[in-house]
């Protein structure tokens, strides 16, 4: 039996979760809880191309936001330190 996640003969969807992570999913299977359809059923290669073009940062969105907040806080601390000198 062929792995349903690697069968080039069936249609797939691209799913996305709240963390911005994507998954190639067989079109015949319901999306699991916490995931929504980003690309409607189409051929596997089109789904793979979409994932490659749109999921360029593998970090979860919560991590991206935390890093950005830490960078902003660091700049604010630098600004406060330079004005108090």
């Amino acid at each position: 039996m062929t792995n349903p996640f690697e069968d080039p003969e069936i249609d797939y969807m691209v799913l996305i979760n709240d963390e911005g992570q994507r998954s190639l999913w067989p079109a015949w299977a319901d999306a699991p809880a916490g995931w929504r359809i980003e690309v409607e059923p189409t051929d596997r290669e089109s789904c793979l191309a979409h994932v490659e073009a749109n999921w360029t940062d593998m970090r979860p969105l919560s991590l991206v936001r935390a890093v950005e907040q830490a960078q902003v806080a660091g700049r604010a601390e630098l600004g406060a330190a330079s004005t108090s000198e």
Side-chain angles (χ1 to χ4, degrees), residues 14 24 39-40 42-52:
V14 175
L24 196 66
V39 174
E40 294 293 331
T42 189
D43 63 280
R44 187 173 190 273
E45 290 305 313
S46 295
C47 288
L48 288 171
H50 175 84
V51 169
E52 186 174 325

Side-chain angles (χ1 to χ4, degrees), residues 13-17 19-25 35-36 38-39 47 50-58 61:
M13 302 178 287
V14 175
L15 305 182
I16 187 168
N17 65 17
E19 289 286 353
Q21 298 165 314
R22 287 161 172 94
S23 178
L24 196 66
W25 203 253
W35 294 81
R36 62 190 181 280
E38 183 176 51
V39 174
C47 288
H50 175 84
V51 169
E52 186 174 325
N54 292 281
W55 193 18
T56 57
D57 188 341
M58 296 293 135
L61 287 177

Side-chain angles (χ1 to χ4, degrees), residues 66-82:
V67 168
E68 289 171 353
Q69 288 174 348
Q71 290 170 339
V72 168
R75 285 193 293 270
E77 288 177 17
L78 280 176
S82 66

